[in-house]
C-alpha cells in the first residue's frame, strides 16, 4: 500500500487470523507452568500480562498455539458477546484457546492501530454476532473480514496509536496504584488481626478462647455483631431521581476493593438494592469468585449483591477488610446453597467468628487504612474519566475526523 491518503481496505485483507486450542485438562503435565493461556475471561483486561491458567511448554506443544508480545487477541465465541466485544493486547508471549482469535497484521498496518480499530467498532462488530447451534454467541469471521478499515499512512497510524496508548498508560498506572493500596490494606489487616502482630503485641500475652489463642483484652465476636446487611429495595421501573449509577456483578472485579466500572441508568429491568458510599458490595452468587468491593458513590446494585456496612464508624475499615478477606470469602463459599449456582447466605455468614480488639486499636487501624481507601476511590474516578475521554477520541481519530499531524 502506498503511504499517501487514507484508504478503505477490508479487515480480512489487513490481517491473518489464527485459532488456538485447549490442551487436555486430564494431563497434569500440561498445566501449572509459567506460560499464560488466554481464555475469554482473561480479556476483561485491556493488556494481558498473565492469566488465571498457566501452561507448561509440553502443554503448549500439545493442543494450542503461542503468539508473540504485541499480538492482538479478541473473543469469537462466548456468551459475553451478547453485551460486549472483548479485545486485548498481549504484553508477553501467550497461548490461547479456541474461543479466541489472534491477529497477525500485514506490512501496511500496525497491530496497535488494528487493536484500537477493533475497540472503536465494538457496536458494529457486535451487530455481526449470531448464535451457534447450542446457543452460545458467535462472531462470524467472514462478516468481520468484510468490514472496511479506514487506513492512514503508517506514520499517522503510529501517531494515533501513541495518543491512545498514552491514555492506556495512565489508566494502567492508576490501576497499579489501586492494587498496591489494596494489597497494603489486606496485608496490614492480616498482620494485626490474623497473625496478631499489631503495635505492642510483644507485651500482650495470648489467652485461650472459643476460636483458639487470641491476645489478652480481645473478645470473640460474630461478623453480625460488627456489620449488618442493608436491604434497601428499589422496585423495577423508572428511578424517581433520574439517572443513577448502577453496579452489576459484572462490574465488581475479583479480589479488588475498587470497583471496575458501572453503568448510568434511568430505568430498572428488575428489582435492585440501594447502596451508599463506603458500603461493601459482596457478590452472593458463586462467592468463591471473590467479588467484594467498596462503593465510592451512592447508587443501585444487583439484588444478587449483599450491601454490607459497619455498625460503628471506628469499625468501617476493619469490616471492609474482614468481609473481603480470604477466610471470610471461604466461609461464605463453604456455606453457600445450591450446586450449579451456589448463593451465599448472610444469615450464615453473620455467624463467622472474629477476634475483636479494643476500640483504640481499631481506631489506629482506621487512621491508616481509610486514607488508602479514599485514595482508591479517587483513582477509580480518574480511571473512569480517562477511559471515557479515550473512548470519545477513538472513533474520531480512527475515522480521520480528528486531524492528526503526520509525524516527521
Amino acid at each position: 500500500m502506498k503511504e499517501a491518503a487514507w484508504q478503505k481496505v477490508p479487515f480480512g485483507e489487513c490481517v491473518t487470523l489464527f485459532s488456538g486450542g485447549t490442551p487436555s485438562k486430564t494431563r497434569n503435565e500440561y498445566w501449572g507452568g509459567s506460560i499464560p493461556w488466554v481464555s475469554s475471561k482473561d480479556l476483561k483486561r485491556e493488556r494481558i500480562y498473565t492469566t488465571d491458567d498457566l501452561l507448561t511448554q509440553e502443554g503448549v506443544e500439545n493442543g494450542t498455539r503461542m503468539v508473540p508480545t504485541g499480538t492482538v487477541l479478541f473473543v469469537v465465541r462466548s456468551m459475553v458477546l451478547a453485551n460486549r466485544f472483548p479485545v486485548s493486547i498481549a504484553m508477553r508471549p501467550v497461548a490461547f484457546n479456541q474461543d479466541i482469535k489472534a491477529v497477525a497484521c500485514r506490512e501496511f498496518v500496525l497491530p496497535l492501530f488494528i487493536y484500537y480499530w477493533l475497540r472503536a467498532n465494538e457496536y458494529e462488530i457486535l451487530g455481526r454476532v449470531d448464535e451457534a447451534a447450542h446457543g452460545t454467541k458467535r462472531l462470524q469471521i467472514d462478516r468481520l473480514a468484510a468490514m472496511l478499515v479506514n487506513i492512514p499512512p503508517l506514520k499517522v497510524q503510529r501517531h494515533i496509536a501513541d495518543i491512545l496508548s498514552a491514555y492506556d498508560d495512565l489508566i494502567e498506572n492508576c490501576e497499579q496504584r489501586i492494587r498496591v493500596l489494596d494489597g497494603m490494606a489486606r496485608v496490614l489487616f492480616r498482620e494485626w488481626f490474623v497473625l496478631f502482630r499489631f503495635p505492642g503485641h510483644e507485651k500482650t500475652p495470648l489467652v485461650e478462647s472459643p476460636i483458639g489463642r487470641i491476645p489478652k483484652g480481645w473478645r470473640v465476636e460474630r461478623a453480625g455483631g460488627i456489620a449488618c446487611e442493608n436491604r434497601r429495595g428499589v422496585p423495577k421501573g423508572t428511578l424517581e431521581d433520574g439517572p443513577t449509577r448502577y453496579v452489576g456483578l459484572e462490574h465488581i472485579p475479583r479480589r479488588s476493593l475498587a470497583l471496575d466500572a458501572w453503568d448510568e441508568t434511568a430505568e430498572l429491568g428488575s428489582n435492585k438494592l440501594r447502596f451508599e458510599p463506603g458500603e461493601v458490595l459482596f457478590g452472593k452468587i458463586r462467592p468463591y469468585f471473590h467479588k467484594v468491593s467498596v462503593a465510592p458513590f451512592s447508587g443501585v446494585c444487583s439484588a444478587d449483591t449483599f450491601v454490607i456496612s459497619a455498625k460503628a464508624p471506628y469499625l468501617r475499615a476493619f469490616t471492609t477488610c474482614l468481609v473481603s478477606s480470604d477466610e471470610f470469602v471461604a466461609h461464605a463459599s463453604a456455606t453457600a446453597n445450591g450446586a450449579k449456582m451456589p448463593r451465599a447466605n448472610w444469615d450464615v455468614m453473620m455467624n463467622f467468628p472474629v477476634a475483636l480488639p479494643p476500640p483504640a486499636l481499631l481506631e489506629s487501624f482506621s487512621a491508616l487504612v481509610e486514607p488508602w481507601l479514599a485514595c482508591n476511590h479517587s483513582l477509580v474516578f480518574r480511571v473512569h474519566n480517562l477511559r471515557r475521554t479515550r473512548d470519545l477520541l477513538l472513533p474520531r481519530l480512527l475515522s480521520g475526523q480528528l486531524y492528526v499531524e503526520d509525524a516527521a
Side-chain angles (χ1 to χ4, degrees), residues 81-375:
L81 290 170
N83 301 303
R84 65 186 188 90
F85 175 58
V87 55
S88 301
I89 191 158
M91 305 305 289
R92 57 178 291 188
V94 299
F96 56 104
N97 76 0
Q98 62 276 9
D99 296 333
I100 307 292
K101 290 290 186 186
V103 178
C105 293
R106 298 280 299 279
E107 70 281 356
F108 57 83
V109 63
L110 298 176
L112 265 179
F113 182 83
I114 285 295
Y115 166 72
Y116 287 117
W117 180 84
L118 288 167
R119 297 204 53 184
N121 288 275
E122 177 179 23
Y123 294 112
E124 187 173 351
I125 291 170
L126 287 176
R128 287 159 169 75
V129 170
D130 62 9
E131 289 188 0
H134 44 75
T136 300
K137 296 296 182 181
R138 171 186 61 186
L139 174 61
Q140 294 281 23
I141 294 302
D142 57 340
R143 298 178 184 176
L144 175 61
M147 289 181 62
L148 295 178
V149 184
N150 199 18
I151 299 179
L154 281 169
K155 289 181 180 180
V156 179
Q157 290 181 47
R158 192 170 290 110
H159 198 166
I160 291 172
D162 287 346
I163 292 171
L164 296 171
S165 292
Y167 281 92
D168 285 339
D169 290 343
L170 290 170
I171 290 169
E172 186 172 34
N173 179 268
C174 290
E175 290 176 336
Q176 177 61 27
R177 291 173 63 192
I178 287 171
R179 287 191 291 270
V180 168
L181 291 169
D182 198 1
M184 288 167 57
R186 293 181 190 278
V187 167
L188 191 67
F189 176 84
R190 184 167 184 79
E191 282 289 306
W192 285 23
F193 305 121
V194 177
L195 302 177
F196 303 136
R197 293 198 287 251
F198 52 90
H201 72 277
E202 303 92 342
K203 300 178 181 179
T204 307
L206 298 178
V207 298
E208 295 295 335
S209 80
I211 60 172
R213 292 168 64 80
I214 64 174
K216 185 177 181 180
W218 293 36
R219 62 186 173 88
V220 175
E221 183 59 89
R222 302 290 173 180
I226 64 171
C228 59
E229 181 205 2
N230 301 303
R231 300 183 183 180
R232 309 181 196 95
V234 182
K236 174 181 178 180
T238 302
L239 291 162
E240 293 181 0
D241 48 359
T244 300
R245 290 169 174 145
Y246 165 69
V247 176
L249 292 183
E250 69 275 13
H251 299 130
I252 305 176
R254 296 188 185 187
R255 299 189 60 80
S256 175
L257 292 173
L259 278 180
D260 191 53
W262 56 87
D263 288 335
E264 301 286 345
T265 184
E267 295 187 0
L268 303 175
S270 59
N271 293 346
K272 298 290 185 288
L273 299 174
R274 192 174 294 278
F275 61 83
E276 297 299 330
E279 294 183 326
V280 179
L281 306 180
F282 189 113
K284 67 172 68 171
I285 295 180
R286 293 174 177 165
Y288 49 81
F289 282 168
H290 205 131
K291 293 194 165 197
V292 189
S293 295
V294 183
F297 47 70
S298 61
V300 296
C301 63
S302 164
D304 291 323
T305 306
F306 294 123
V307 179
I308 302 171
S309 62
K311 289 189 173 181
Y314 72 92
L315 290 168
R316 279 198 300 258
F318 181 85
T319 297
T320 296
C321 293
L322 171 68
V323 300
S324 66
S325 67
D326 290 340
E327 294 80 6
F328 189 85
V329 172
H331 174 70
S333 301
T335 58
N337 300 319
K340 291 185 177 180
M341 193 76 72
R343 289 173 176 263
N345 185 337
W346 176 254
D347 292 336
V348 177
M349 291 160 60
M350 66 185 295
N351 291 320
F352 183 78
V354 181
L356 192 67
L361 187 59
L362 291 169
E363 289 171 354
S364 297
F365 181 73
S366 293
L368 289 171
V369 172
E370 288 202 0
W372 300 344
L373 296 177
C375 185

Side-chain angles (χ1 to χ4, degrees), residues 24-39:
S24 173
K25 294 289 184 74
T26 64
R27 301 290 296 270
N28 292 335
E29 64 270 28
Y30 292 170
W31 300 90
S34 60
I35 301 170
W37 179 74
V38 181
S39 60

